[in-house]
Amino acid sequence: MKLFIRDHIPLLIFTMLELLAVVAVFWFDGYDHPLTAFYGIFLGLFIMAGYLIYRFFSQRLLYMRLSRPFEALNESIAAGGTAPVSQAFNHLLETQYRHYQNLLQTWERKQQEHLTFMNQWVHQMKTPVSVIEMITQGEDDERLLSISEETDRIRRGLEMVLYVSRLETFEQDFSVEPVGLRQAVNETVHELKRYFIRSHVYPEVQVDDGVMVQTDAKWMRFMLEQLLSNAIKYAAGTGSKITVSARTEDDRSLTLEIRDRGVGIPKADLGRVFRPFYTGENGRRFKESTGMGLYLVKEVADKLGHGIRIESVPGEGTVVRLHFERSQVQVRNR
């Protein structure tokens, strides 16, 4: 209604000026009957009001659509009235909607083709990486050990690419079930065993065997691998421990804590570590940083309904906490 009034204010002003001009012409021509003049003005305004009422009801849906934003894209092609302008406007929106849908389908198809190619390529690359790992395994030659380290980095990079592509179809690729938290931590630590040894840091697991959490086992191990890899990278060479512990809160929820004693994160970077590709000051010091690890962990945690927080003191270390709600926690007696 407000939009309709604002749209027709110029017409109302023009009509009033037109009626006054006609009355003035008759008045200056010697016709000086005020009641007749007022009657003429009233009649003109009455006819004008009838026209506005007709116009409002014939274009009411159009003004309603223009007065509020669309909550969904398909609302733009709803009926917009019977007036010619309303029908023309509706036809324009329908045309735009079809163009948008065609463009969207084209890009979705291209994205799906790209994801399919990336998945196939990663799986193909994992085969030669596995062969290289088998060749270099158990050898004492420094050159082969160096090749083994680089191969390990390649393997973790390929795994990250694979999980990034799966994140696009996360809803089709997860299954929530009870997962033993200590078992998931131990499996991840074992997977990163060589990385721990090369970096001269040591894992310390303080998680009870009976703790179970409702989550997806595969994505849970992915989050743990990213968090532990970060902890190892920023504590490398310190000879310190990386502690993984779990504690029950007062409301019977659970917090999984990963603590390192490394370089820590500068305060200026702490609020932005979950942004994609953000590496900050540490990214300039540690060339392996991609800025994707914590971003992916945050995305996965949000999708699984887990909370994540991070605290850090430069020079003292970093603590990352994964929070599981009460409904996601089970404690079994051993």
Side-chain angles (χ1 to χ4, degrees):
M1 186 65 177
K2 291 181 180 179
L3 179 61
F4 177 81
I5 293 174
R6 291 201 308 270
D7 188 37
H8 287 84
I9 284 176
L11 178 60
L12 290 170
I13 294 174
F14 174 78
T15 302
M16 286 295 299
L17 292 175
E18 184 181 32
L19 291 173
L20 290 175
V22 172
V23 170
V25 168
F26 280 96
W27 185 272
F28 288 117
D29 193 42
Y31 190 83
D32 54 354
H33 296 283
L35 290 178
T36 306
F38 286 133
Y39 177 74
I41 293 175
F42 171 78
L43 186 61
L45 291 176
F46 180 79
I47 295 173
M48 180 64 183
Y51 166 75
L52 291 177
I53 291 172
Y54 163 75
R55 186 173 178 83
F56 173 76
F57 282 102
S58 63
Q59 297 187 341
R60 177 171 53 90
L61 295 177
L62 174 63
Y63 281 102
M64 288 176 61
R65 293 169 68 190
L66 294 174
S67 299
R68 61 180 179 85
F70 299 137
E71 296 181 359
L73 182 62
N74 57 5
E75 290 185 10
S76 64
I77 58 174
T82 58
V85 173
S86 299
Q87 293 179 347
F89 180 71
N90 196 57
H91 177 70
L92 173 64
L93 290 180
E94 288 178 353
T95 304
Q96 288 183 329
Y97 180 79
R98 285 195 299 271
H99 286 319
Y100 177 81
Q101 286 289 88
N102 292 335
L103 185 63
L104 184 62
Q105 290 173 3
T106 300
W107 280 106
E108 286 179 345
R109 185 173 61 254
K110 289 182 178 180
Q111 184 183 36
Q112 187 59 47
E113 292 173 354
H114 175 73
L115 291 176
T116 301
F117 169 77
M118 290 299 296
N119 288 336
Q120 291 177 347
W121 179 81
V122 168
H123 285 296
Q124 289 174 356
M125 291 301 102
K126 288 174 73 174
T127 300
V129 168
S130 298
V131 173
I132 295 173
E133 286 180 335
M134 290 177 60
I135 294 173
T136 58
Q137 189 174 10
E139 299 291 336
D140 294 330
D141 191 306
E142 290 187 2
R143 292 174 298 179
L144 293 179
L145 289 175
S146 179
I147 292 173
S148 178
E149 291 178 10
E150 298 304 321
T151 304
D152 199 27
R153 292 177 184 172
I154 294 173
R155 181 185 58 78
R156 291 201 303 273
L158 291 174
E159 288 292 336
M160 178 176 286
V161 172
L162 195 59
Y163 276 99
V164 169
S165 65
R166 288 175 178 171
L167 197 61
E168 299 293 330
T169 56
F170 183 87
E171 289 74 13
Q172 305 172 15
D173 191 42
F174 82 106
S175 175
V176 175
E177 57 186 354
V179 175
L181 196 54
R182 183 180 178 88
Q183 180 183 355
V185 172
N186 286 339
E187 288 176 356
T188 308
V189 169
H190 180 74
E191 191 74 20
L192 297 172
K193 178 176 63 177
R194 286 183 296 181
Y195 196 17
F196 273 106
I197 295 171
R198 289 198 309 269
S199 302
H200 303 288
V201 291
Y202 310 97
E204 181 183 30
V205 179
Q206 299 176 353
V207 182
D208 292 338
D209 288 330
V211 176
M212 310 288 292
V213 292
Q214 291 286 340
T215 188
D216 181 277
K218 177 180 61 180
W219 286 104
M220 184 66 192
R221 284 194 293 271
F222 169 76
M223 290 191 292
L224 289 172
E225 183 174 347
Q226 294 303 314
L227 294 175
L228 285 172
S229 295
N230 271 1
I232 296 170
K233 177 169 56 182
Y234 296 127
T238 62
S240 60
K241 292 181 178 180
I242 293 176
T243 305
V244 183
S245 59
R247 71 171 189 270
T248 304
E249 306 292 348
D250 294 337
D251 60 353
R252 293 202 288 177
S253 60
L254 184 80
T255 298
L256 180 69
E257 185 177 280
I258 300 174
R259 181 185 297 270
D260 69 65
R261 282 86 176 173
V263 297
I265 301 172
K267 186 176 181 180
D269 296 337
L270 200 57
R272 295 177 282 184
V273 293
F274 293 120
R275 297 180 184 178
F277 305 108
Y278 183 80
T279 57
E281 183 179 320
N282 286 340
R284 292 184 286 273
R285 296 173 57 187
F286 299 87
K287 302 305 180 182
E288 294 180 25
S289 299
T290 62
M292 288 296 290
L294 287 176
Y295 162 73
L296 292 172
V297 170
K298 181 70 165 61
E299 288 290 303
V300 174
D302 289 344
K303 290 178 181 296
L304 290 173
H306 308 324
I308 183 169
R309 293 173 299 164
I310 186 167
E311 298 176 4
S312 185
V313 178
E316 296 183 14
T318 302
V319 181
V320 181
R321 295 184 176 93
L322 272 175
H323 183 75
F324 301 87
E325 297 295 336
R326 174 181 175 181
S327 59
Q328 299 171 336
V329 180
Q330 300 175 13
V331 179
R332 296 179 179 177
N333 296 325
R334 291 178 291 176

